[in-house]
């Protein structure tokens, strides 16, 4: 696992946060259950898939790619997904999951600072801090959370070889 704070320049971060995701017209699609591994139906999140199965699936693909791809050492892109986890009374940990069943890089970029986090394995907790990127093997168990001190927890998840 590797954590990089201030991953993007202030200007690049502002473009991603303010122009792409934190504008009133940005679409999130609601999903019942956060993982396929058994979250209760009371757990939900919003997602915007940018790239999946070899195909760009969003109008923001070029903008996201132009900003992030120069920093990501990848041979093959698997998926890009922008996530929104809602505010809950207390921070709720979702069910542990893997992204793909083969070794690959998962990178989670935090768009805002909140009391939510990503838990990798059983012990490693990576706090949600704006402009922070965490890299780890996405075939390892990990889990997301909600937030209790902001309106939502927002991040961009990259999976690649």
């Amino acid at each position: 696992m590797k954590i990089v704070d201030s991953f993007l320049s202030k200007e690049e971060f502002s473009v991603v946060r303010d122009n792409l995701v934190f504008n009133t017209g940005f679409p999130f699609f609601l999903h019942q259950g956060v993982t396929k591994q058994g979250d209760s139906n009371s757990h939900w999140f919003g997602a915007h898939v940018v790239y999946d199965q070899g195909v760009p699936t969003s109008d923001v693909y070029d903008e996201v790619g132009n900003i992030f791809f120069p920093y990501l050492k990848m041979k093959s892109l698997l998926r890009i997904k922008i996530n929104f986890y809602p505010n809950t009374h207390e921070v709720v940990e979702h069910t542990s999951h893997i992204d793909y069943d083969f070794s690959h890089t998962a990178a989670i970029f935090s768009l805002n600072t909140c009391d939510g986090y990503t838990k990798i394995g059983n012990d490693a907790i990576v706090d949600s801090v704006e402009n922070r990127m965490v890299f780890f093997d996405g075939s390892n168990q990990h889990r997301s959370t909600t937030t209790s001190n902001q309106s939502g927890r927002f991040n961009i998840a990259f999976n690649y070889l």
Side-chain angles (χ1 to χ4, degrees), residues 71-100:
Y71 301 107
L72 303 176
K73 297 174 183 159
M74 67 176 141
K75 295 178 183 172
S76 180
L77 181 61
L78 300 170
R79 181 177 65 183
I80 303 171
K81 185 171 62 131
I82 302 172
N83 296 311
F84 159 69
Y85 301 102
N87 174 284
T88 50
H89 181 66
E90 296 176 344
V91 173
V92 174
E93 276 191 7
H94 301 124
T95 302
S96 185
H97 69 280
I98 62 170
D99 293 335
Y100 295 96

mmCIF file of all heavy atoms in Angstrom, residues 71-100:
data_model
loop_
_atom_site.group_PDB
_atom_site.id
_atom_site.type_symbol
_atom_site.label_atom_id
_atom_site.label_comp_id
_atom_site.label_asym_id
_atom_site.label_seq_id
_atom_site.Cartn_x
_atom_site.Cartn_y
_atom_site.Cartn_z
ATOM 1 N N TYR A 71 -0.091 10.477 -14.324
ATOM 2 C CA TYR A 71 0.434 10.096 -13.010
ATOM 3 C C TYR A 71 0.313 8.602 -12.722
ATOM 4 O O TYR A 71 0.912 8.108 -11.769
ATOM 5 C CB TYR A 71 -0.304 10.856 -11.901
ATOM 6 C CG TYR A 71 -0.192 12.344 -12.013
ATOM 7 C CD1 TYR A 71 -1.280 13.106 -12.429
ATOM 8 C CD2 TYR A 71 0.993 12.997 -11.708
ATOM 9 C CE1 TYR A 71 -1.195 14.493 -12.527
ATOM 10 C CE2 TYR A 71 1.089 14.381 -11.808
ATOM 11 C CZ TYR A 71 -0.007 15.116 -12.212
ATOM 12 O OH TYR A 71 0.089 16.473 -12.317
ATOM 13 N N LEU A 72 -0.484 7.901 -13.494
ATOM 14 C CA LEU A 72 -0.722 6.481 -13.233
ATOM 15 C C LEU A 72 0.111 5.643 -14.194
ATOM 16 O O LEU A 72 -0.023 5.764 -15.401
ATOM 17 C CB LEU A 72 -2.215 6.149 -13.402
ATOM 18 C CG LEU A 72 -3.178 6.954 -12.535
ATOM 19 C CD1 LEU A 72 -4.622 6.588 -12.881
ATOM 20 C CD2 LEU A 72 -2.905 6.738 -11.059
ATOM 21 N N LYS A 73 0.956 4.802 -13.647
ATOM 22 C CA LYS A 73 1.810 3.947 -14.470
ATOM 23 C C LYS A 73 1.040 2.681 -14.806
ATOM 24 O O LYS A 73 1.092 1.692 -14.088
ATOM 25 C CB LYS A 73 3.096 3.634 -13.716
ATOM 26 C CG LYS A 73 3.918 4.869 -13.420
ATOM 27 C CD LYS A 73 5.100 4.556 -12.545
ATOM 28 C CE LYS A 73 5.827 5.849 -12.246
ATOM 29 N NZ LYS A 73 6.657 5.757 -11.077
ATOM 30 N N MET A 74 0.322 2.732 -15.922
ATOM 31 C CA MET A 74 -0.523 1.591 -16.247
ATOM 32 C C MET A 74 -0.255 1.072 -17.645
ATOM 33 O O MET A 74 0.123 1.822 -18.538
ATOM 34 C CB MET A 74 -1.990 1.951 -16.073
ATOM 35 C CG MET A 74 -2.539 2.955 -17.026
ATOM 36 S SD MET A 74 -4.296 3.140 -16.702
ATOM 37 C CE MET A 74 -4.437 4.887 -16.916
ATOM 38 N N LYS A 75 -0.476 -0.230 -17.778
ATOM 39 C CA LYS A 75 -0.401 -0.880 -19.078
ATOM 40 C C LYS A 75 -1.793 -1.043 -19.670
ATOM 41 O O LYS A 75 -1.970 -0.984 -20.874
ATOM 42 C CB LYS A 75 0.260 -2.256 -18.938
ATOM 43 C CG LYS A 75 1.705 -2.188 -18.513
ATOM 44 C CD LYS A 75 2.299 -3.566 -18.342
ATOM 45 C CE LYS A 75 3.726 -3.474 -17.850
ATOM 46 N NZ LYS A 75 4.258 -4.784 -17.511
ATOM 47 N N SER A 76 -2.777 -1.270 -18.798
ATOM 48 C CA SER A 76 -4.134 -1.501 -19.275
ATOM 49 C C SER A 76 -5.127 -1.017 -18.221
ATOM 50 O O SER A 76 -5.038 -1.401 -17.053
ATOM 51 C CB SER A 76 -4.346 -2.988 -19.547
ATOM 52 O OG SER A 76 -5.642 -3.229 -20.011
ATOM 53 N N LEU A 77 -6.069 -0.206 -18.638
ATOM 54 C CA LEU A 77 -7.101 0.316 -17.750
ATOM 55 C C LEU A 77 -8.235 -0.695 -17.654
ATOM 56 O O LEU A 77 -8.688 -1.237 -18.667
ATOM 57 C CB LEU A 77 -7.614 1.645 -18.300
ATOM 58 C CG LEU A 77 -8.685 2.377 -17.508
ATOM 59 C CD1 LEU A 77 -8.181 2.734 -16.112
ATOM 60 C CD2 LEU A 77 -9.100 3.652 -18.259
ATOM 61 N N LEU A 78 -8.710 -0.953 -16.437
ATOM 62 C CA LEU A 78 -9.828 -1.868 -16.219
ATOM 63 C C LEU A 78 -11.129 -1.117 -15.954
ATOM 64 O O LEU A 78 -12.158 -1.422 -16.541
ATOM 65 C CB LEU A 78 -9.535 -2.801 -15.043
ATOM 66 C CG LEU A 78 -8.302 -3.695 -15.183
ATOM 67 C CD1 LEU A 78 -7.991 -4.386 -13.864
ATOM 68 C CD2 LEU A 78 -8.526 -4.704 -16.292
ATOM 69 N N ARG A 79 -11.062 -0.112 -15.041
ATOM 70 C CA ARG A 79 -12.296 0.594 -14.679
ATOM 71 C C ARG A 79 -11.954 1.918 -14.003
ATOM 72 O O ARG A 79 -10.949 2.026 -13.310
ATOM 73 C CB ARG A 79 -13.128 -0.260 -13.721
ATOM 74 C CG ARG A 79 -14.438 0.372 -13.318
ATOM 75 C CD ARG A 79 -15.256 -0.527 -12.424
ATOM 76 N NE ARG A 79 -14.551 -0.727 -11.156
ATOM 77 C CZ ARG A 79 -14.985 -1.516 -10.185
ATOM 78 N NH1 ARG A 79 -16.087 -2.203 -10.334
ATOM 79 N NH2 ARG A 79 -14.307 -1.648 -9.069
ATOM 80 N N ILE A 80 -12.826 2.898 -14.215
ATOM 81 C CA ILE A 80 -12.815 4.142 -13.450
ATOM 82 C C ILE A 80 -14.249 4.361 -12.983
ATOM 83 O O ILE A 80 -15.181 4.305 -13.780
ATOM 84 C CB ILE A 80 -12.385 5.368 -14.277
ATOM 85 C CG1 ILE A 80 -11.007 5.176 -14.892
ATOM 86 C CG2 ILE A 80 -12.398 6.627 -13.402
ATOM 87 C CD1 ILE A 80 -10.638 6.276 -15.894
ATOM 88 N N LYS A 81 -14.402 4.610 -11.685
ATOM 89 C CA LYS A 81 -15.736 4.801 -11.128
ATOM 90 C C LYS A 81 -15.681 5.919 -10.091
ATOM 91 O O LYS A 81 -14.802 5.923 -9.222
ATOM 92 C CB LYS A 81 -16.224 3.501 -10.486
ATOM 93 C CG LYS A 81 -17.632 3.522 -9.975
ATOM 94 C CD LYS A 81 -18.096 2.128 -9.563
ATOM 95 C CE LYS A 81 -17.278 1.586 -8.445
ATOM 96 N NZ LYS A 81 -17.996 1.028 -7.332
ATOM 97 N N ILE A 82 -16.598 6.875 -10.191
ATOM 98 C CA ILE A 82 -16.701 7.942 -9.202
ATOM 99 C C ILE A 82 -17.802 7.547 -8.227
ATOM 100 O O ILE A 82 -18.909 7.197 -8.637
ATOM 101 C CB ILE A 82 -17.013 9.294 -9.880
ATOM 102 C CG1 ILE A 82 -15.922 9.622 -10.913
ATOM 103 C CG2 ILE A 82 -17.124 10.406 -8.829
ATOM 104 C CD1 ILE A 82 -16.212 10.830 -11.774
ATOM 105 N N ASN A 83 -17.470 7.561 -6.930
ATOM 106 C CA ASN A 83 -18.386 7.080 -5.898
ATOM 107 C C ASN A 83 -18.873 8.204 -4.995
ATOM 108 O O ASN A 83 -18.112 9.120 -4.664
ATOM 109 C CB ASN A 83 -17.688 6.043 -5.009
ATOM 110 C CG ASN A 83 -17.285 4.806 -5.762
ATOM 111 O OD1 ASN A 83 -18.075 4.231 -6.490
ATOM 112 N ND2 ASN A 83 -16.033 4.400 -5.608
ATOM 113 N N PHE A 84 -20.123 8.101 -4.586
ATOM 114 C CA PHE A 84 -20.717 8.966 -3.573
ATOM 115 C C PHE A 84 -21.323 8.079 -2.492
ATOM 116 O O PHE A 84 -22.209 7.270 -2.769
ATOM 117 C CB PHE A 84 -21.806 9.849 -4.190
ATOM 118 C CG PHE A 84 -22.787 10.379 -3.182
ATOM 119 C CD1 PHE A 84 -22.398 11.324 -2.249
ATOM 120 C CD2 PHE A 84 -24.095 9.925 -3.157
ATOM 121 C CE1 PHE A 84 -23.296 11.801 -1.302
ATOM 122 C CE2 PHE A 84 -25.009 10.403 -2.222
ATOM 123 C CZ PHE A 84 -24.609 11.340 -1.291
ATOM 124 N N TYR A 85 -20.810 8.201 -1.263
ATOM 125 C CA TYR A 85 -21.358 7.480 -0.118
ATOM 126 C C TYR A 85 -22.078 8.501 0.764
ATOM 127 O O TYR A 85 -21.503 9.531 1.113
ATOM 128 C CB TYR A 85 -20.253 6.776 0.670
ATOM 129 C CG TYR A 85 -19.479 5.794 -0.177
ATOM 130 C CD1 TYR A 85 -18.224 6.118 -0.674
ATOM 131 C CD2 TYR A 85 -20.010 4.550 -0.490
ATOM 132 C CE1 TYR A 85 -17.514 5.227 -1.466
ATOM 133 C CE2 TYR A 85 -19.307 3.650 -1.279
ATOM 134 C CZ TYR A 85 -18.061 3.997 -1.760
ATOM 135 O OH TYR A 85 -17.364 3.109 -2.546
ATOM 136 N N PRO A 86 -23.317 8.245 1.145
ATOM 137 C CA PRO A 86 -24.117 9.263 1.829
ATOM 138 C C PRO A 86 -23.726 9.477 3.287
ATOM 139 O O PRO A 86 -23.057 8.649 3.899
ATOM 140 C CB PRO A 86 -25.533 8.685 1.748
ATOM 141 C CG PRO A 86 -25.320 7.215 1.758
ATOM 142 C CD PRO A 86 -24.056 7.000 0.949
ATOM 143 N N ASN A 87 -24.208 10.581 3.816
ATOM 144 C CA ASN A 87 -24.085 10.860 5.237
ATOM 145 C C ASN A 87 -24.996 9.899 5.992
ATOM 146 O O ASN A 87 -26.130 9.648 5.594
ATOM 147 C CB ASN A 87 -24.502 12.316 5.504
ATOM 148 C CG ASN A 87 -24.534 12.626 6.985
ATOM 149 O OD1 ASN A 87 -25.448 12.233 7.684
ATOM 150 N ND2 ASN A 87 -23.534 13.321 7.438
ATOM 151 N N THR A 88 -24.459 9.346 7.074
ATOM 152 C CA THR A 88 -25.242 8.513 7.980
ATOM 153 C C THR A 88 -24.981 9.008 9.394
ATOM 154 O O THR A 88 -23.977 9.703 9.644
ATOM 155 C CB THR A 88 -24.858 7.025 7.850
ATOM 156 O OG1 THR A 88 -23.436 6.882 7.944
ATOM 157 C CG2 THR A 88 -25.335 6.446 6.524
ATOM 158 N N HIS A 89 -25.850 8.677 10.323
ATOM 159 C CA HIS A 89 -25.726 9.155 11.705
ATOM 160 C C HIS A 89 -24.365 8.787 12.294
ATOM 161 O O HIS A 89 -23.724 9.596 12.973
ATOM 162 C CB HIS A 89 -26.866 8.594 12.557
ATOM 163 C CG HIS A 89 -26.830 9.039 13.975
ATOM 164 N ND1 HIS A 89 -27.024 10.352 14.353
ATOM 165 C CD2 HIS A 89 -26.604 8.351 15.117
ATOM 166 C CE1 HIS A 89 -26.919 10.448 15.665
ATOM 167 N NE2 HIS A 89 -26.674 9.251 16.148
ATOM 168 N N GLU A 90 -23.920 7.572 12.049
ATOM 169 C CA GLU A 90 -22.591 7.095 12.443
ATOM 170 C C GLU A 90 -21.925 6.540 11.198
ATOM 171 O O GLU A 90 -22.597 6.108 10.263
ATOM 172 C CB GLU A 90 -22.695 5.982 13.490
ATOM 173 C CG GLU A 90 -23.306 6.424 14.794
ATOM 174 C CD GLU A 90 -23.474 5.258 15.768
ATOM 175 O OE1 GLU A 90 -23.400 4.081 15.334
ATOM 176 O OE2 GLU A 90 -23.694 5.529 16.954
ATOM 177 N N VAL A 91 -20.602 6.519 11.164
ATOM 178 C CA VAL A 91 -19.883 5.948 10.023
ATOM 179 C C VAL A 91 -20.220 4.460 9.936
ATOM 180 O O VAL A 91 -20.123 3.728 10.924
ATOM 181 C CB VAL A 91 -18.358 6.151 10.164
ATOM 182 C CG1 VAL A 91 -17.603 5.418 9.060
ATOM 183 C CG2 VAL A 91 -18.015 7.638 10.138
ATOM 184 N N VAL A 92 -20.639 4.025 8.755
ATOM 185 C CA VAL A 92 -21.013 2.629 8.523
ATOM 186 C C VAL A 92 -19.967 1.997 7.611
ATOM 187 O O VAL A 92 -19.688 2.506 6.526
ATOM 188 C CB VAL A 92 -22.410 2.537 7.858
ATOM 189 C CG1 VAL A 92 -22.731 1.096 7.474
ATOM 190 C CG2 VAL A 92 -23.474 3.123 8.764
ATOM 191 N N GLU A 93 -19.381 0.878 8.058
ATOM 192 C CA GLU A 93 -18.466 0.105 7.221
ATOM 193 C C GLU A 93 -19.286 -0.834 6.350
ATOM 194 O O GLU A 93 -20.173 -1.535 6.834
ATOM 195 C CB GLU A 93 -17.509 -0.740 8.069
ATOM 196 C CG GLU A 93 -16.304 -0.012 8.542
ATOM 197 C CD GLU A 93 -15.253 -0.947 9.144
ATOM 198 O OE1 GLU A 93 -15.381 -2.193 9.087
ATOM 199 O OE2 GLU A 93 -14.277 -0.403 9.681
ATOM 200 N N HIS A 94 -18.961 -0.850 5.072
ATOM 201 C CA HIS A 94 -19.625 -1.767 4.155
ATOM 202 C C HIS A 94 -18.933 -3.123 4.179
ATOM 203 O O HIS A 94 -17.845 -3.275 4.731
ATOM 204 C CB HIS A 94 -19.635 -1.175 2.742
ATOM 205 C CG HIS A 94 -20.325 0.144 2.689
ATOM 206 N ND1 HIS A 94 -19.718 1.279 2.217
ATOM 207 C CD2 HIS A 94 -21.562 0.515 3.089
ATOM 208 C CE1 HIS A 94 -20.562 2.283 2.310
ATOM 209 N NE2 HIS A 94 -21.685 1.848 2.838
ATOM 210 N N THR A 95 -19.544 -4.094 3.544
ATOM 211 C CA THR A 95 -18.992 -5.445 3.483
ATOM 212 C C THR A 95 -17.664 -5.438 2.724
ATOM 213 O O THR A 95 -17.502 -4.743 1.728
ATOM 214 C CB THR A 95 -19.995 -6.381 2.773
ATOM 215 O OG1 THR A 95 -21.223 -6.351 3.486
ATOM 216 C CG2 THR A 95 -19.474 -7.801 2.706
ATOM 217 N N SER A 96 -16.730 -6.211 3.203
ATOM 218 C CA SER A 96 -15.429 -6.355 2.556
ATOM 219 C C SER A 96 -15.603 -7.012 1.193
ATOM 220 O O SER A 96 -16.465 -7.870 1.009
ATOM 221 C CB SER A 96 -14.520 -7.196 3.450
ATOM 222 O OG SER A 96 -13.227 -7.266 2.925
ATOM 223 N N HIS A 97 -14.782 -6.601 0.232
ATOM 224 C CA HIS A 97 -14.883 -7.143 -1.123
ATOM 225 C C HIS A 97 -13.535 -7.023 -1.832
ATOM 226 O O HIS A 97 -12.611 -6.393 -1.331
ATOM 227 C CB HIS A 97 -15.951 -6.382 -1.913
ATOM 228 C CG HIS A 97 -15.561 -4.965 -2.220
ATOM 229 N ND1 HIS A 97 -15.677 -3.946 -1.296
ATOM 230 C CD2 HIS A 97 -15.045 -4.402 -3.333
ATOM 231 C CE1 HIS A 97 -15.250 -2.813 -1.832
ATOM 232 N NE2 HIS A 97 -14.851 -3.059 -3.076
ATOM 233 N N ILE A 98 -13.450 -7.651 -2.994
ATOM 234 C CA ILE A 98 -12.328 -7.445 -3.904
ATOM 235 C C ILE A 98 -12.899 -6.841 -5.183
ATOM 236 O O ILE A 98 -14.082 -7.012 -5.472
ATOM 237 C CB ILE A 98 -11.559 -8.752 -4.210
ATOM 238 C CG1 ILE A 98 -12.462 -9.769 -4.909
ATOM 239 C CG2 ILE A 98 -10.942 -9.334 -2.941
ATOM 240 C CD1 ILE A 98 -11.721 -10.983 -5.455
ATOM 241 N N ASP A 99 -12.059 -6.133 -5.927
ATOM 242 C CA ASP A 99 -12.539 -5.541 -7.177
ATOM 243 C C ASP A 99 -12.493 -6.546 -8.321
ATOM 244 O O ASP A 99 -13.442 -6.653 -9.087
ATOM 245 C CB ASP A 99 -11.729 -4.300 -7.526
ATOM 246 C CG ASP A 99 -11.964 -3.170 -6.523
ATOM 247 O OD1 ASP A 99 -13.035 -3.151 -5.875
ATOM 248 O OD2 ASP A 99 -11.083 -2.312 -6.388
ATOM 249 N N TYR A 100 -11.377 -7.254 -8.448
ATOM 250 C CA TYR A 100 -11.211 -8.314 -9.448
ATOM 251 C C TYR A 100 -10.436 -9.437 -8.774
ATOM 252 O O TYR A 100 -9.677 -9.196 -7.838
ATOM 253 C CB TYR A 100 -10.440 -7.814 -10.681
ATOM 254 C CG TYR A 100 -11.176 -6.739 -11.453
ATOM 255 C CD1 TYR A 100 -10.906 -5.393 -11.233
ATOM 256 C CD2 TYR A 100 -12.132 -7.067 -12.405
ATOM 257 C CE1 TYR A 100 -11.581 -4.399 -11.931
ATOM 258 C CE2 TYR A 100 -12.813 -6.084 -13.103
ATOM 259 C CZ TYR A 100 -12.525 -4.750 -12.864
ATOM 260 O OH TYR A 100 -13.199 -3.773 -13.551
#
